[in-house]
């Protein structure tokens, strides 16, 4: 298993569907490769926020110009879904409001950059006592071998101006999923034989003033909640459907 992991880690991602002339093309390629290579990243020195069976959520405290940007790294393993299914439910907007609790309204598609890449605008619930936040980010899904990855990363390219009274968060998030196949390596027809390993990572800069203690308290509560809710949703959503790679 260790050698197959290093093989995959060394592998380059297949090129994405975006026009190489697009102003975001190089950035998307670079950021995605960094996330792809982070599979199996060490959590040494990080604070364990939550541990519940296969679910582990870690945080490291990091401040930038007086703002808490605390990187989060979470791992989970769930039974009954494939990597592709989980990643698809994270990326495809059709499912977003079913599991995402931080949004104030439905995401807005600013642009479809390619069949696998969207430019999105999201407005979040206001967190007392801070200003309401929004974010503008490209969202990209990529599949290779048993692994599927989604990257959401803030950009200024194509971003609408900030509404008054709002602050713009900067985020760099990925969800990497790997299907764990039973002996023989074939996709099972029984969902009970299918397992998906997930690695979620998030770095969010609040963008403007926000009390650090409040942010840290909300993060500690909300990231584990998101991991449980989202993975539970995925399992439930596909449980009566036939398995697919
Ligand atoms: O990664 C997650 N969601 C993605 C799709 O929406 C996307 C969004 C990332 C934003 C993460 C920061 C949210 C902080 C919001 C603060 C204000 C909301 C407070 C409301 C409390 C109920 O990558 C899942 C994000 C899970 C965040 C806990």
């Amino acid at each position: 298993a260790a050698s197959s992991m290093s093989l995959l880690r060394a592998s380059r991602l297949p090129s994405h569907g975006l026009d190489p002339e697009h102003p975001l093309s190089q950035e998307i390629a670079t950021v995605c490769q960094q996330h792809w290579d982070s599979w199996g990243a060490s959590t040494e020195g990080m604070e364990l926020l939550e541990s519940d069976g296969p679910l582990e959520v870690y945080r490291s405290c990091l401040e930038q110009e007086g703002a808490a940007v605390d990187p989060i790294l979470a791992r989970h393993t769930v039974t009954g879904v494939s990597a592709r299914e989980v990643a698809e439910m994270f990326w495809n907007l059709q499912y977003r409001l079913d599991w995402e609790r931080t949004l104030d309204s439905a995401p807005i598609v600013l642009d479809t950059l390619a069949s696998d890449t969207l430019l999105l605008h999201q407005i979040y619930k206001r967190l007392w006592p801070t200003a309401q936040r929004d974010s503008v980010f490209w969202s990209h899904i990529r599949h290779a071998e048993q692994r599927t990855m989604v990257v959401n990363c803030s950009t200024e390219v194509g971003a609408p101006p900030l509404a008054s009274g709002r602050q713009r968060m900067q985020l760099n998030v990925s969800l990497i999923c790997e299907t764990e196949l039973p002996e023989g390596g074939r996709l099972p027809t029984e969902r009970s034989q299918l397992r998906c390993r997930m690695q979620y990572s998030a770095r969010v800069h609040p963008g403007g003033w926000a009390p650090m203690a409040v942010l840290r308290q909300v993060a500690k509560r909300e990231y584990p909640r998101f991991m449980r809710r989202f993975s539970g949703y995925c399992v439930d959503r596909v449980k009566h459907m036939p398995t697919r790679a």
Side-chain angles (χ1 to χ4, degrees):
S3 69
S4 87
M5 180 179 267
S6 59
L7 248 178
L8 277 165
R9 192 176 286 170
S11 73
R12 292 208 55 87
L13 279 174
S15 66
H16 59 84
L18 191 61
D19 174 0
E21 297 300 310
H22 191 279
L24 281 170
S25 180
Q26 192 49 51
E27 179 188 315
I28 293 176
T30 308
V31 174
C32 287
Q33 186 73 46
Q34 284 164 359
H35 281 286
W36 188 260
D37 294 342
S38 77
W39 177 258
S42 165
T43 49
E44 216 180 285
M46 294 182 87
E47 173 196 2
L48 184 61
L49 287 183
E50 176 106 6
S51 168
D52 178 9
L55 173 66
E56 288 179 349
V57 185
Y58 294 87
R59 159 167 82 185
S60 30
C61 285
L62 181 69
E63 286 164 32
Q64 265 172 16
E65 298 130 28
V69 292
D70 305 353
I72 297 286
L73 194 107
R75 296 211 164 91
H76 200 8
T77 300
V78 283
T79 302
V81 270
S82 68
R84 209 180 254 234
E85 287 169 330
V86 172
E88 178 70 20
M89 285 184 264
F90 188 68
W91 181 76
N92 193 320
L93 295 180
Q94 161 190 356
Y95 309 104
R96 177 104 359 133
L97 294 181
D98 292 346
W99 58 264
E100 178 61 276
R101 301 293 292 228
T102 66
L103 298 182
D104 198 43
S105 46
I108 298 156
V109 181
L110 296 169
D111 201 353
T112 300
L113 304 173
S115 61
D116 54 14
T117 315
L118 303 170
L119 185 66
L120 299 176
H121 185 204
Q122 290 196 153
I123 300 165
Y124 300 87
K125 285 179 186 159
R126 186 167 172 240
L127 184 66
W128 186 90
T130 74
Q132 186 170 49
R133 258 70 186 170
D134 75 355
S135 65
V136 178
F137 58 98
W138 49 262
S139 182
H140 178 72
I141 186 164
R142 191 86 63 99
H143 181 81
E145 299 168 59
Q146 259 101 267
R147 213 176 278 169
T148 309
M149 171 179 80
V150 176
V151 178
N152 292 337
C153 188
S154 283
T155 181
E156 275 160 31
V157 177
L162 192 57
S164 81
R166 248 186 230 151
Q167 302 280 3
R168 185 150 292 168
M169 289 195 300
Q170 302 298 320
L171 53 93
N172 189 349
V173 170
S174 69
L175 176 70
I176 312 173
C177 302
E178 189 176 86
T179 305
E180 225 178 71
L181 295 174
E183 285 293 305
R186 303 254 308 263
L187 195 75
T189 47
E190 285 287 320
R191 285 202 173 267
S192 60
Q193 302 290 303
L194 187 63
R195 279 150 63 87
C196 173
R197 282 194 229 160
M198 307 159 62
Q199 177 181 297
Y200 174 82
S201 103
R203 237 171 210 260
V204 180
H205 188 292
W209 178 83
M212 254 183 242
V214 173
L215 284 187
R216 290 194 160 135
Q217 194 186 358
V218 171
K220 185 174 182 157
R221 187 184 68 216
E222 293 300 326
Y223 283 105
R225 198 177 266 183
F226 151 68
M227 289 297 290
R228 281 200 185 88
R229 186 181 163 81
F230 172 67
S231 56
Y233 170 76
C234 292
V235 170
D236 197 55
R237 182 74 211 238
V238 298
K239 68 182 177 205
H240 299 303
M241 296 181 192
T243 55
R244 60 181 180 94

